[in-house]
Structures are given as C-alpha cells and as structure tokens.
C-alpha cells in the first residue's frame, strides 16, 4: 500500500489568469479598475510593523464592527474571511451535512461544485433557462441546502428579491446561501431578510465594489445563531485567518461611503454605455447587473474573439464548458480600457 | 426538521488570549519579542496600494521562491498558507482519509484533535512518558498517519532526528507530518529527510522565529508529488489565500539571514538564563528547545501562580487539561520582560 491511496484527490478550481506581464488590459477576473478608498494609502504609510510580531485579533473586531456599522446590523450577525471563497467554503463545510443534494444552477460560480466535491457533499445542478434566468420552483423540492449567486456569475443576471424570498419560504429546514459578490452594481440585496429567515446566509466581498481583491476580504451576514455555528467551524480550522494590516485597512476601506458610491456608479455608468456599444457591434447578452458583461457574437466564435483580443494584449474570460463556450465574460474596466476594447472588437468583427 | 440538524457541530480550538489592554507583558502565545526584519518597515511605507484592486498571484511565487532560496530547496517542494494552522488543516484534509487512526501524542499542539474532529478523521492520542518524552515504538503500529510536533508544544521537548527517521521508516505507507513551529530555537530540522522519504511533510511558520505572527504565514516542505496533492486541495478550497502585502513582506522578512540569526540567538540566550533563574526559584521543567518554558512549581499551584501573575499584568498560558494543569507555559520575551517576570515570581513563591 502507498500513502497516495488515502490522499483526497480533487479537480481543483482554475482561477482566472493573473498574468505577470505589464501593459495588458486585464478584463478577466472582474476586478475594480479604481483604487481602494484613499484612507488605505494614507494608513499603510504610517503602519507600525513592529506590531506584526504579535498575533492579530482572532475576533477581527475592528473589521467586523466597521462592516456592521456600514450595513447597520449588529456585529454578532457578521462573519469575515479570506475573501468570499473562504467564507463560502466554511459555510459549505458547516451547513451542508445532509444526505440530500445541495441545489445550485448548472451555470454559476464554478467553485460551488468544487467545494461540494472537496467535502463530499452530494449536489444537484439545476439547468438555467435558455435566457439564463432561474425558475424558482426548481428549488422548492427536498434538498440539503440551496446556493444562489445573485446576480449570477458568469451570466450577470439578477433573480428578483421576491423570488429569493419565495425560495427561502419553501426551504425553512436547510441553509440557503445567497452569494452577492456583485450586488453593489445594481442588484437588490437579501440582507434585510436575515431578520425574517434564520437560515439565510448572505455573502459579500471586498474584491469587487471595494477594490480590494488583493487583500482577500469576504464577509457574510446571518442570524446570530447561524454566524455562531460558522465561527465555531472557522475557529476549528484556523483561529487567525485575517492578518493585522488586512483588518485595519479593510475597516478603513469600508468606512468611506462617498468613495464607494462614486466608484461603483462610475463602473455602472461605463457598463451601461459598453452595453450599447456591444449591441451596435451585434453582440448578444442578457442584461447585466454586475461589473461584467457575458456576451457572444452570432458571426464569430468565442474562441476566435478571445484569441484575437489576447494577441492585442486584452484578456477577457472564456469558459470551455457546455452551453456557454461561445460566450466571453468581459469585466468593466476604466472608460479608456473599454474604449480600447471596443476599438479592437470593431476590427475583429 | 430544522436546518440546525445538518450543522457540523464542533468544539473549537481556544486560542491564547489576545488582550486589547496596553502595558501588559504578554508571554502567553509564544510570539517573538523582536520586530520583523528591517526591510519590512521600509517596504510597507512605499507600498503601492492601487495594486490591491487586483487579485494577488495565486501561485504565491515571490514568497515561495524566497523560502525555497533561503532553505536551498526547489520551489515545487514548498507550500505556503495562512499560518501553519492553515497548512496543517489542509494537510489533515488532504492526507488523512484512511479508516485507521491518525497517531499523535496526548500532550501536544491542541489543534490536532480539533482538526481531526472537524474533518471526522479517526485518531488515537498516545500518552507521552512522564518526563514528556516520546517512545518512538508507540508509532510503529498500523495507522492512518502520524503527526509529531518537534520540538513538542507545550512541553518544549525535542525528539532526536534519528527517532523521527525511524518513525518514517516504519510508516512508509502513510503521510508523516513533522510540525516544526519552534525548530529555529535549537532543534534539528527534518527538512533534509524530504529527499529520502516522499511521505514526509515538514511544516514551519513565520509566527515564531520570523516575528510575523500578525501576518499569518506558514509553509511546508515535501516531495513535489506531496506538495502537488496539497496544492490541489488548497486550490479547491480558496485559490487566493495569501494577500498581496503578505506575499511581498513575507519574502522580504525571510531573506535577511543575519537578522534571523541575531534575533533567534537573542531569544535562545534569554531562554537559557531564564532556565537558570527558574531553577533557582525551585521550578521544575523538561529542557526546552523552543521559545517557551513549560514549568511547574512543587509548592504553588499553577492556577495560583497564573492568577497572581495576571493581577500584575503578566500573562502566561495555562492549560486546564489532565496531566498538565499544574504547568505554566511561559514565552520568552525581551530580557527586560523576563526580569520583570522573575521579580514577580520571586515575590509569589
């Protein structure tokens, strides 16, 4: 026998490319084109690194309190982690321990089935409609939990909050996770529903609307009992996941509401005019409430456009998966970056 | 039925207290009393936070390469994580999937049984001898894996490397983890053995000898196949665990060999003279090769000394566990801090 027989073998998630070359236009991982709130730059310059010799605060209170304050919820309803991936992975491990399958769409964030496989959680992928919408009734049957990305990725399509609430009403006996990574670009958050449904976990992130992908901060809201279960599992995994600068810079980044509104509105504005320009070029896409557009062209294959853009130093995302292999997921960059993209697409089409 | 029925319920690890009050002498979580290498302070002042809007490098290459360089191993034999807790938790999940019990001592790092419980891994705790040494033959029987903290915590006792190698020879069919969080304070590392044993994982950390507990950086060495399995599971959990400043500051911190040698020798020097002073006060302890001393006093209970020190603003660690509840684990601080401790103990005893 070899030690390899008892290895947990997995097919890992493939993250979007993080190229190390300079001078590319990077529209492949839905990052924000604008820098973090100005207080972050000021604070890091005067940060006392001597304190790094001590462990960080395991309760993460400076960051938890800043998030609680921004959203006007109590701190015992907030959980933080190393990006929303960490929060979601912990939630899968904590809440999905049934023999019944966890339900999520066939086209959605491609980490859900990876976590389910990692933790040996049974799951069932429910096909989206042809227009990438969700039929809420598909989630009313018996199950071990429900996960809905809203707005969905990589499609950009929002499920109306009243449908989310109906799914919650039909699933009081399992945990329902609403993954709102992109909610700040025009969607309606399920956060107010945590008062009514103690089985709802709403997950958000600093990686998109907060311009902090490089700092790895995710967070979740839920009933205090739900958050306590999640924290217990987190403390059983790693007591100190968030390091000292992350806690302090994260708290500063979320406290500036004006900057947040300004930058997300800039992204939304750019998205809306890029939608028009893509339509003029003949692209087809469902309406997006996110910081990306998921589009295909009737005359040119996704693979071809992807390769051509890449040769011009413009990187978008393409998923080599059934039903969506003709599509490109294009992140919303600065206006200048999107102008360059549109010019390139005009030449390609 | 309630959603609570399918919650993974655990008894979480209790980390050592991280008090928020000022002016205490904190000797309870084995932190380094000296600041990180000087380059860290210089680099953070000029760090460009605009880059935080982009995801970090998921392969962590700047940090992995710096560690590989320092230890003169190839980069594909190095794994990094959010503290050695993250590395160890991933290793438990990846390698311990047998029906047979994983073996570790009854008195050791108290996270091992927490991870085993979290992941439903069968385990067997093998009693240390009365003098806190390990009998290597106890680890020769059939098992699902072996975990040895060396030097052991909270005892401080080192298992000779030749005994580690014998344990490896008798366990070629399972993964053997050697947790070397404290190795730089006088122990002999098992790192050279990774060439000979493809089932050996050696885990180390920036939290002790590198003065970076607040940054959460752990790492491991192993055969490239072992590291690949570990990386696959890590990528299935969270693609980006290490954030941008952590990667860059970590690489700078480990590159300064002179500073590393100077500060660890200062800690070792302080430890050796504190040993003498504690002995003069009548304390009893096994010889420590770490940055802490695990001691008891024949005339005063551990509980009493702990409480008395605390009332004086000196915090040490006490475990309310069988066999060791009379002991105090005292981290090695600066010479000045240890002088204050010794003066306090003189008054208490």
């Amino acid at each position: 026998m070899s030690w390899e027989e008892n290895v947990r073998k997995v097919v890992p998630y493939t993250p979007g490319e993080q190229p190390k070359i300079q001078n590319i236009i990077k529209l492949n991982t839905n990052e924000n084109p604008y820098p973090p709130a100005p207080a972050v730059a000021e604070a890091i310059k005067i940060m006392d690194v001597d304190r790094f010799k001590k462990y960080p605060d395991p309760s993460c209170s400076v960051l938890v309190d800043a998030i609680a304050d921004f959203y006007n919820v109590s701190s015992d309803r907030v959980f933080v982690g190393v990006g929303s991936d960490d929060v979601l992975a912990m939630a899968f491990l904590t809440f999905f321990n049934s023999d019944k399958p966890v339900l999520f769409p066939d086209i959605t964030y491609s980490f859900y089935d990876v976590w389910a496989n990692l933790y040996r959680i049974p799951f069932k992928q429910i096909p989206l409609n042809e227009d990438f919408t969700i039929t809420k009734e598909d989630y009313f049957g018996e199950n071990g939990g429900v996960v809905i990305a809203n707005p969905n990725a990589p499609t950009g399509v929002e499920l109306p909050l009243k449908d989310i609430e109906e799914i919650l009403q039909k699933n009081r006996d399992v945990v329902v996770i609403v993954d709102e990574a992109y909610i700040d670009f025009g969607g309606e958050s399920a956060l107010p529903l945590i008062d009514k449904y103690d089985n709802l976990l709403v997950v958000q992130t600093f990686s998109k609307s907060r311009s902090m992908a490089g700092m790895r901060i995710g967070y979740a809201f839920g009933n205090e009992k739900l958050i306590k279960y999640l924290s217990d599992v987190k403390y059983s995994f790693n007591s100190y996941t968030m390091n000292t600068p992350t806690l302090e810079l994260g708290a500063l980044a979320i406290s500036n509401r004006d900057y947040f509104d300004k930058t997300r509105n800039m992204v939304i504005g750019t998205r809306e005019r890029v939608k028009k320009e893509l339509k003029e070029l003949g692209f087809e896409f469902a309406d997006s409430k996110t910081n990306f557009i998921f589009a295909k062209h009737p005359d040119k294959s996704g693979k071809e456009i992807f390769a051509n853009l890449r040769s011009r130093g413009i990187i978008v995302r393409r998923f080599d998966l059934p039903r969506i292999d003709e599509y490109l997921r294009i992140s919303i960059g600065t206006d200048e970056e999107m102008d360059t993209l549109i010019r390139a697409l005009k030449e390609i089409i």
Side-chain angles (χ1 to χ4, degrees), chain A residues 79-310:
Chain A
F79 178 86
V80 296
V82 182
S84 59
D85 288 345
D86 183 49
V87 174
L88 287 162
M90 289 291 151
F92 272 58
L93 182 61
T94 306
F95 299 121
F96 297 156
N97 295 286
S98 163
D99 294 332
K100 295 172 198 151
V102 171
L103 308 181
F104 46 85
D106 65 335
I107 301 168
T108 190
Y109 185 34
S110 43
F111 233 128
Y112 300 155
D113 58 325
V114 171
W115 287 316
N117 282 320
L118 175 66
Y119 294 130
R120 314 293 188 235
I121 298 166
F123 65 97
K124 194 176 148 196
Q125 292 166 299
I126 299 178
L128 290 182
N129 301 319
E130 276 308 303
D131 62 357
F132 295 149
T133 56
I134 284 174
T135 298
K136 61 178 187 285
E137 289 79 7
D138 289 347
Y139 297 83
F140 289 178
E142 232 190 0
N143 63 67
V146 174
V147 189
I148 303 281
N150 198 40
N152 198 8
T155 65
V157 176
E158 186 186 21
L159 182 66
L161 190 58
K162 62 173 176 37
D163 292 359
I164 297 270
E165 182 157 11
E166 264 194 79
I167 290 173
L168 276 160
Q169 281 161 351
K170 303 286 184 183
N171 285 283
R172 298 293 285 126
D173 58 343
V174 296
V175 171
V176 175
I177 297 176
V178 181
D179 177 359
E180 297 187 344
Y182 301 101
I183 198 72
D184 295 324
F185 301 108
E188 191 179 1
S189 176
L191 174 55
L193 299 180
I194 65 167
D195 290 333
K196 238 164 125 180
Y197 302 94
D198 65 356
N199 59 323
L200 167 64
L201 189 77
V202 177
V203 180
Q204 298 192 4
T205 178
F206 277 53
S207 299
K208 314 298 177 186
S209 57
R210 305 285 176 177
S211 303
M212 294 275 264
M215 287 303 280
R216 314 301 301 123
I217 306 174
Y219 54 105
F221 303 105
N223 177 280
E224 52 272 25
K225 194 154 55 171
L226 200 79
I227 296 298
K228 173 69 165 59
Y229 282 129
L230 195 55
S231 294
D232 281 352
V233 165
K234 175 233 130 93
Y235 279 118
S236 291
F237 168 77
N238 190 352
S239 315
Y240 310 94
T241 54
M242 312 294 285
N243 69 25
T244 300
T246 305
L247 293 174
E248 295 176 7
L249 299 178
L252 289 171
I254 204 166
S255 301
N256 190 334
R257 195 178 295 265
D258 289 344
Y259 184 81
F260 167 68
D261 283 333
K262 188 179 108 186
T263 49
R264 69 174 173 157
N265 285 331
M266 284 163 75
V267 171
I268 291 169
T270 306
R271 178 190 70 206
E272 292 306 311
R273 69 108 174 156
V274 170
K275 280 182 189 170
K276 280 186 206 137
E277 291 170 307
L278 287 177
K279 273 209 177 109
E280 283 164 17
L281 286 169
F283 278 93
E284 297 166 358
F285 48 89
D287 192 39
S288 167
K289 290 283 181 66
T290 63
N291 68 339
F292 59 82
I293 297 168
F294 194 56
K296 68 173 176 180
H297 200 280
D299 306 331
K300 274 261 195 279
S301 81
K303 206 168 177 169
E304 201 182 334
I305 306 173
F306 176 88
N308 196 318
L309 285 174
R310 212 196 139 88

Side-chain angles (χ1 to χ4, degrees), chain A residues 5-18:
Chain A
E5 280 173 45
N6 287 316
V7 168
R8 185 173 295 248
K9 294 180 191 81
V10 292
V11 181
Y13 174 81
T14 310
E17 195 187 354
Q18 301 297 341

Side-chain angles (χ1 to χ4, degrees), chain A residues 59-79:
Chain A
S59 68
C60 303
S61 57
V62 62
L63 179 59
V64 164
D65 291 349
I67 294 168
D69 195 49
F70 186 89
Y71 289 98
N72 198 24
V73 299
S74 65
S75 291
D76 58 359
R77 298 185 154 204
V78 177
F79 178 86

